[in-house]
Amino acid sequence: MKPNVVIVRLGELTLKGRNRHRFEKRVLQQLQPLQKDYPGIRFTLEFGRIHIELNEAPYEAAADVLDRIFGLASYSPAIRIAPLLEEIEREAIRLMQELEPEPGEEKTFKVVVKRSNKQFPHDSMELLQLVGGYVLRNTERWRVDVHHPETSLWVDIRDKDAFVFTEIIRGTGGFPLGTNGRALLLLSGGIDSPVAGWLAMRMGLELEAVHFHSYPYTSERARRKVEELARELSRFSGPMKVHMVPFTEIQVKLKEEGRENLLVICMKRAMLRIAERVAEKRKAGALITGESLGQVASQTLSSLDVIGRAAEMPVLRPLITMDKGEIVKLSHKIGTFDISIQPYEDCCTLFLPKSPSTNPGLRTVLKVESGIKELDQLIEQAVERTETSVIGLGMREEADDYF
């Protein structure tokens, strides 16, 4: 089947309240690159759905874009025709003949009718019988099974048009990107944080990323690895700003003057303090981390509590109740896994203590931090020396002076 339209259904959450038009506008904005590549494409907005008129553009190009847009419940490649019984029967039989099994085999189907145009001369039950009977009379290897069919033939009759299709492809769900504000993702080179970023975007957050590097302890290749992860995430968000924070001096100072078992706790608290300042400059309302409860020593409940108190703005942890297997599965789905497992260490991995604390006390940590010379000054310097670039597929990366 060569569809001439794609029916895009918006998620139920986007249809509630007064924000519906804002959500619809945001989805349309994300569809604009498709129109840039294929100028003949047109978009028609109805309540709860968008029709993409392909006008000879390839359906695969539209599907590729739709698979990366958040806030969609589903979409279907379809044939748009006039709302006439003869037209519906003609397209129905053409679709079913294309899907008909080989000689000697049989498949089951059912017809599903949605008739919002109440002026159509046949009601839904009549249409089921008319279209289903027409398919049976004009094919040899289809059988009806209304309970567990292998194929469903959908007939959707609207006021001015009718649509016939056999596929409903599940969308990404969630909210359209950017409709719930902006947040700053603490992006490491590991598996977890890119997945956390994807889940945050899925719930409508527009993201910028911050990465802490420890040159010369970490290589330039480790930094490039993080940029590759940001580039992969940009497939879902468009160009992404990545803020590179020099963290070496802070780590060295913490290792020299802090307590060995609290080193990771103090490092992560310093990261949150820096990230919060960057977020404030970029007008972001929350920080996103890839922490998952109990996965490592610094992610016990007490450790997360002590770390999180370093920032005043909300710290969101989308992976908090997920196990490693679930996170890895998602990283494969969004395309970040193969990049994340490249053997280039990040700053946290290189400064791991032998016996990290799993139950730190806030008072003890605050006392240790207060005794570390120049820590506050080093944090401010790290913010000032942060470099920002724009990462995006097909884009030239440019330095951006935000600090």
Side-chain angles (χ1 to χ4, degrees):
M1 177 190 78
K2 185 179 181 181
N4 58 17
V5 67
V6 182
I7 303 170
V8 180
R9 304 172 189 87
L10 303 183
E12 180 183 355
L13 293 176
T14 69
L15 302 179
K16 296 182 178 180
R18 299 178 181 178
N19 289 322
R20 177 170 63 85
H21 295 298
R22 182 167 65 93
F23 292 160
E24 291 171 340
K25 182 179 178 181
R26 185 56 177 154
V27 172
L28 286 171
Q29 287 174 343
Q30 290 188 272
L31 286 169
Q32 291 309 307
L34 184 62
Q35 196 172 46
K36 182 178 180 181
D37 293 334
Y38 301 96
I41 282 180
R42 295 291 180 268
F43 305 120
T44 304
L45 182 64
E46 292 187 11
F47 183 86
R49 60 164 61 184
I50 295 170
H51 294 150
I52 303 176
E53 300 174 37
L54 294 174
N55 293 323
E56 302 303 322
Y59 160 70
E60 292 76 14
D64 181 61
V65 172
L66 292 171
D67 286 338
R68 293 183 275 116
I69 294 180
F70 300 108
L72 306 185
S74 64
Y75 63 90
S76 297
I79 300 295
R80 184 207 296 258
I81 50 178
L84 301 171
L85 178 60
E86 298 79 9
E87 294 280 327
I88 294 170
E89 289 179 334
R90 185 188 68 195
E91 292 302 327
I93 195 62
R94 189 167 70 85
L95 284 177
M96 297 305 287
Q97 284 176 343
E98 288 182 4
L99 298 173
E100 192 169 11
E102 297 294 327
E105 300 179 4
E106 286 189 352
K107 283 187 178 181
T108 58
F109 82 103
K110 74 172 181 179
V111 178
V112 182
V113 173
K114 183 177 181 181
R115 176 178 165 269
S116 58
N117 180 359
K118 302 307 179 185
Q119 303 303 314
F120 193 77
H122 304 282
D123 63 26
S124 297
M125 289 303 298
E126 288 177 327
L127 271 174
L128 289 176
Q129 297 172 359
L130 289 169
V131 176
Y134 191 79
V135 170
L136 289 174
R137 288 194 302 273
N138 290 275
T139 60
E140 298 179 357
R141 295 179 291 277
W142 283 111
R143 297 291 178 267
V144 173
D145 184 343
V146 297
H147 298 294
H148 304 288
E150 296 172 85
T151 299
S152 292
L153 173 64
W154 295 78
V155 178
D156 186 359
I157 301 176
R158 317 290 284 189
D159 289 338
K160 298 180 179 179
D161 304 287
F163 301 88
V164 180
F165 54 94
T166 57
E167 287 185 272
I168 296 181
I169 296 117
R170 185 175 179 180
T172 52
F175 290 91
L177 187 71
T179 54
N180 277 330
R182 178 184 295 177
L184 188 69
L185 170 67
L186 277 70
L187 182 61
S188 72
I191 294 173
D192 299 343
S193 59
V195 176
W198 185 86
L199 288 171
M201 289 191 293
R202 183 177 179 271
M203 295 312 293
L205 287 171
E206 180 182 356
L207 292 190
E208 296 185 12
V210 60
H211 176 70
F212 299 86
H213 64 89
S214 296
Y215 184 82
Y217 295 101
T218 55
S219 66
E220 180 65 20
R221 190 64 190 84
R223 175 171 172 160
R224 291 297 175 187
K225 173 184 175 181
V226 171
E227 292 175 348
E228 289 178 27
L229 288 171
R231 186 175 291 106
E232 196 64 27
L233 289 177
S234 76
R235 295 192 310 114
F236 301 92
S237 67
M240 178 180 289
K241 290 184 175 68
V242 179
H243 309 282
M244 292 289 185
V245 180
F247 201 60
T248 308
E249 293 182 50
I250 294 174
Q251 285 189 286
V252 171
K253 181 64 68 173
L254 290 172
K255 189 170 182 63
E256 290 176 350
E257 300 188 21
R259 278 176 49 175
E260 177 75 10
N261 67 325
L262 296 176
L263 178 58
V264 174
I265 301 295
C266 292
M267 282 196 315
K268 292 199 169 187
R269 281 175 55 86
M271 288 178 179
L272 282 190
R273 292 174 62 185
I274 294 169
E276 185 171 43
R277 285 163 175 75
V278 175
E280 288 170 350
K281 290 176 179 287
R282 299 299 304 141
K283 294 181 172 55
L287 303 176
I288 308 290
T289 76
E291 293 161 319
S292 174
L293 187 61
Q295 194 171 121
V296 294
S298 63
Q299 294 177 17
T300 63
L301 190 59
S302 57
S303 295
L304 292 173
D305 177 46
V306 171
I307 292 168
R309 290 174 185 265
E312 294 184 4
M313 69 170 49
V315 179
L316 307 182
R317 300 176 172 101
L319 309 183
I320 194 66
T321 62
M322 297 177 67
D323 62 35
K324 196 65 177 183
E326 292 171 314
I327 298 169
V328 167
K329 183 177 180 179
L330 256 180
S331 72
H332 280 290
K333 175 182 177 180
I334 66 175
T336 58
F337 180 80
D338 290 338
I339 303 171
S340 294
I341 62 172
Q342 292 175 9
Y344 303 106
E345 305 282 7
D346 62 24
C347 62
C348 293
T349 314
L350 296 174
F351 284 81
L352 283 176
K354 293 181 180 179
S355 300
S357 174
T358 59
N359 189 29
L362 180 60
R363 289 184 180 180
T364 302
V365 172
L366 291 174
K367 184 177 180 180
V368 169
E369 289 179 342
S370 65
I372 299 175
K373 300 174 184 178
E374 304 171 347
L375 179 58
D376 291 342
Q377 181 182 348
L378 289 173
I379 286 175
E380 291 301 327
Q381 288 177 356
V383 174
E384 293 171 2
R385 295 172 183 171
T386 295
E387 299 176 354
T388 301
S389 59
V390 180
I391 308 293
L393 287 177
M395 293 188 59
R396 180 169 61 92
E397 295 169 21
E398 300 178 349
D400 206 347
D401 297 327
Y402 289 104
F403 297 96

